[in-house]
Amino acid sequence: MHSVRIAAAGLAATFCMGQAAPERLDYTLTPVLERGVLRAVQYDLRFRGEADGETVLRLPDSWGGQDDLWRSIEGLTAISGAALRDGDGPAQRVLTHRPNARIHLRYRVIQDFEGAPNAEQGNAYRPVVQANYFHLIGEASLAAPAGYDAAAPVRWRARNMPRGWTLASDLEHPGLTLGDLRSSIAVGGDFRIVRDDASRVRVALRGGWPFADAEFSASVAEIVSGQRRFFGDAASPYLVTVIQLEAPQPGWRSIGGTGLGDAFAFFATPNGEAQTITRILAHEGLHSWIPGRLGGMPPQDEAADYWLSEGFTDFYTGRVLVREGQWTPAEFAADLNLMLRAYAESPARTEPNARVVADFWNNRAVQQLPYQRGRLLATVWDARLRAAGGRDLDDVILDMRDRAARGESGVAAELFQVSAQHFGLDVREDIDAFVRRGAAIALPEDAFAPCGSIVAELTPAFHRGFDIEATAANNNIVTGVDTGLPAYAAGVRDGMVLITRTAGEIGDAGQEIAYVMRDGETERTFRYMPRGHGAVALQRLVLADDLEGERLAQCVAVLGGG
């Protein structure tokens, strides 16, 4: 018996020729209001049950660092075609019915936490149901029968939207699969929708921001379009949603988000800056190609290859933002120099790659290491290719894309070595020395010529004077004050409550920093130079003073590629 492999939205399933196509699942979303106030979002689910008369229904459980997502599902009822009973655990139900019966289920999605989404709780990956809007991620809000796999066809509809409300989702097109539905976003309520017809990008946002809707949306469209052009993809529908998180304290700033198939969901405090949001979008959006379209990740210990999947993505984040005119060379240099300082001061700087595999999710410095290493190595290799004449890292990446599309074997890290060698770049010794064994990476002085030079200098080590991670984990009660540092001399003590930072730049030991802290019943501001013990050898990009005209154009070509 022959079989055919059918791929849909990056997910695949195998069906035998001659067998009936899988049954479609029907999802209908309906807002539930009481006296004009949204209380829940109702889902009606229709599908065909299993041939043996018993179907397992799976509720949302764990996703995106969130657990017990089934708590957001209430009122699950079998409207017709089946009887419902408990299954193995709270995230499962069992339906009994006639063989192959048509079944109609109904349930409500509620918000299982109090109040508005708050930055202290992190990104709002759990269902958000507020008085005048809802925000639902598929993985966190959809129940589905266990017998239907990711490639099963789906119809999704929304009905009875209140007058004056807007609806936005990346599900408003034909050819949907269950995999698409799980990796989706649906929002409704007092959202403002801005469309860009050329790129087919929509932005849905609500609330007041320090940027104009139109300007932000234009930036989003340019970034997404630029990424598509680089990888040779045509315009297709893409949705970006932006909702606000309440700040637990004055001055608190939080910006985060997640990629969801052909959508991206952002969460930010009202003081979130457009530049930071677009940088996150540029990085996360590139993951649509890096590493999946370049060969993918290893089936085990994938953190071993994060230097490529995250580091190369960070390298191309800067490249795309310059190429699309979102960043000037000065903005590129500022972003790079922040990373160079963090790398120079990192206590994990020379840890071997085995440490990344073991502690990526347990240690902040270790977690940042593959981002830093991969971006630095990509910069070094790009400079070598340009120095050899006529090539840059773009040629290698696009060759990887083509090899992966042809089905050549190897994950992205393996295909990279093959493609690099194809252009005369042997990276094996570098990977062994700087990734596997953890040797420190130094950029060559002319890595970004003619933009300027990489200079090296000794600089005071940055240190807040207390342990910021332990403080954050201790409900912002200051912990780990070093009695030998300026913070202690300024009066900072263990047990104070950290409220906000009002001055200074994290990572810059040359700027005075200021923290507002509560000492007993009194709020006090502490100002001091955030210097630690000793000095660090720091590299940074210093742009040329005469960066204008033809030299500026050449610089943009180096930073933006092409």
Side-chain angles (χ1 to χ4, degrees):
M1 183 175 291
H2 300 289
S3 64
V4 59
R5 191 165 180 80
I6 303 173
L11 299 164
T14 301
F15 301 106
C16 294
M17 296 294 287
Q19 290 185 349
E23 288 280 347
R24 187 180 71 186
L25 295 99
D26 279 286
Y27 287 85
T28 302
L29 176 152
T30 308
V32 179
L33 287 84
E34 296 177 3
R35 298 181 180 179
V37 175
L38 182 67
R39 298 299 186 190
V41 176
Q42 177 179 293
Y43 260 119
D44 283 88
L45 168 59
R46 295 174 173 86
F47 62 96
R48 190 173 297 280
E50 299 285 347
D52 64 0
E54 185 171 284
T55 297
V56 173
L57 185 74
R58 291 176 179 165
L59 307 185
D61 192 5
S62 297
W63 181 83
Q66 302 293 311
D67 296 319
D68 299 335
L69 290 166
W70 47 268
R71 295 184 183 278
S72 295
I73 305 299
E74 73 169 19
L76 178 61
T77 305
I79 301 299
S80 64
L84 194 63
R85 72 170 190 269
D86 290 343
D88 294 334
Q92 188 183 102
R93 302 290 188 275
V94 177
L95 301 167
T96 54
H97 49 80
R98 296 192 310 274
N100 299 311
R102 290 293 300 172
I103 298 171
H104 176 191
L105 302 180
R106 178 175 293 163
Y107 64 91
R108 292 184 299 277
V109 183
I110 62 168
Q111 180 177 302
D112 68 344
F113 58 90
E114 295 293 328
N118 191 290
E120 199 165 21
Q121 301 165 342
N123 295 334
Y125 293 155
R126 306 185 82 86
V128 176
V129 180
Q130 291 287 295
N132 54 351
Y133 80 95
F134 65 83
H135 179 283
L136 303 179
I137 292 173
E139 289 279 10
S141 59
L142 293 170
Y148 287 71
D149 66 14
V154 166
R155 181 173 66 171
W156 182 91
R157 296 172 293 177
R159 66 180 187 182
N160 296 342
M161 299 297 292
R163 184 183 299 274
W165 276 33
T166 56
L167 171 74
S169 175
D170 59 335
L171 298 169
E172 299 168 82
H173 59 83
L176 293 173
T177 67
L178 184 56
D180 296 331
L181 202 62
R182 286 173 175 151
S183 184
S184 71
I185 180 72
V187 300
D190 56 349
F191 284 84
R192 306 183 297 277
I193 311 294
V194 184
R195 294 174 171 82
D196 182 85
D197 293 335
S199 64
R200 304 180 69 184
V201 170
R202 291 177 298 155
V203 174
L205 66 171
R206 62 180 306 278
W209 300 94
F211 49 80
D213 292 359
E215 293 177 2
F216 173 72
S217 299
S219 296
V220 169
E222 288 171 3
I223 291 168
V224 173
S225 297
Q227 292 173 342
R228 290 169 175 168
R229 280 193 297 271
F230 176 71
F231 286 99
D233 287 0
S236 59
Y238 195 82
L239 172 67
V240 174
T241 64
V242 189
I243 68 168
Q244 289 187 351
L245 305 176
E246 288 188 345
Q249 299 168 356
W252 186 300
R253 177 174 294 160
S254 176
I255 301 174
T258 184
L260 295 160
D262 48 6
F264 198 99
F266 272 113
F267 314 92
T269 47
N271 57 358
E273 297 175 341
Q275 184 180 20
T276 305
I277 295 177
T278 52
R279 191 203 189 284
I280 295 172
L281 174 66
H283 177 100
E284 297 298 338
L286 281 163
H287 280 313
S288 297
W289 295 274
I290 306 173
R293 296 270 293 276
L294 306 181
M297 298 294 282
Q300 294 182 336
D301 292 337
E302 70 171 29
D305 287 357
Y306 283 171
W307 63 270
L308 187 148
S309 64
E310 297 296 348
F312 278 29
T313 298
D314 237 16
F315 173 85
Y316 273 97
T317 295
R319 176 155 284 188
V320 167
L321 288 170
V322 172
R323 179 181 292 165
E324 296 307 311
Q326 298 297 306
W327 275 4
T328 64
E331 289 170 317
F332 177 94
D335 183 80
L336 175 71
N337 289 340
L338 281 176
M339 185 276 291
L340 287 171
R341 177 177 286 276
Y343 178 68
E345 296 182 342
S346 171
R349 185 183 186 202
T350 56
E351 291 288 347
N353 208 36
R355 177 79 192 282
V356 174
V357 174
D359 289 330
F360 181 84
W361 297 108
N362 305 321
N363 183 285
R364 173 69 175 172
V366 170
Q367 189 177 71
Q368 291 303 303
L369 194 57
Y371 291 78
Q372 297 160 350
R373 280 180 178 162
R375 184 177 181 181
L376 290 170
L377 287 172
T379 300
V380 169
W381 292 327
D382 182 70
R384 286 183 193 167
L385 286 164
R386 285 188 283 107
R391 300 290 186 182
D392 63 10
L393 196 66
D394 294 2
D395 296 288
V396 178
I397 295 298
L398 295 177
D399 187 70
M400 292 173 65
R401 176 204 62 186
D402 295 342
R403 290 176 187 274
R406 292 195 299 266
E408 289 193 24
S409 62
V411 297
E414 295 167 344
L415 285 184
F416 171 67
Q417 297 183 52
V418 174
S419 292
Q421 188 66 55
H422 176 73
F423 293 103
L425 179 66
D426 190 341
V427 298
R428 291 173 297 180
E429 290 186 3
D430 285 346
I431 292 174
D432 181 66
F434 300 116
V435 176
R436 188 180 68 82
R437 290 187 280 120
I441 303 167
L443 294 180
E445 181 182 355
D446 61 351
F448 296 103
C451 299
S453 300
I454 295 293
V455 300
E457 58 191 14
L458 284 176
T459 183
F462 174 86
H463 200 290
R464 296 172 178 82
F466 56 93
D467 188 329
I468 187 62
E469 292 190 2
T471 298
N474 195 29
N475 295 319
N476 282 345
I477 298 174
V478 175
T479 304
V481 174
D482 188 323
T483 60
L485 295 181
Y488 184 84
V492 175
R493 297 292 185 270
D494 284 340
M496 294 180 176
V497 179
L498 176 62
I499 297 175
T500 188
R501 173 172 58 88
T502 59
E505 188 72 37
I506 300 303
D508 189 348
Q511 287 190 46
E512 184 181 67
I513 203 165
Y515 282 107
V516 178
M517 299 184 183
R518 187 166 63 247
D519 182 11
E521 299 299 320
T522 305
E523 285 191 6
R524 301 170 59 190
T525 298
F526 298 91
R527 299 180 180 275
Y528 55 93
M529 298 303 291
R531 295 177 176 175
H533 298 284
V536 295
L538 174 69
Q539 286 192 304
R540 61 189 179 95
L541 171 59
V542 178
L543 297 177
D545 292 333
D546 58 344
L547 197 58
E548 57 187 23
E550 180 60 26
R551 185 171 184 177
L552 175 60
Q554 293 173 351
C555 173
V556 170
V558 166
L559 301 181

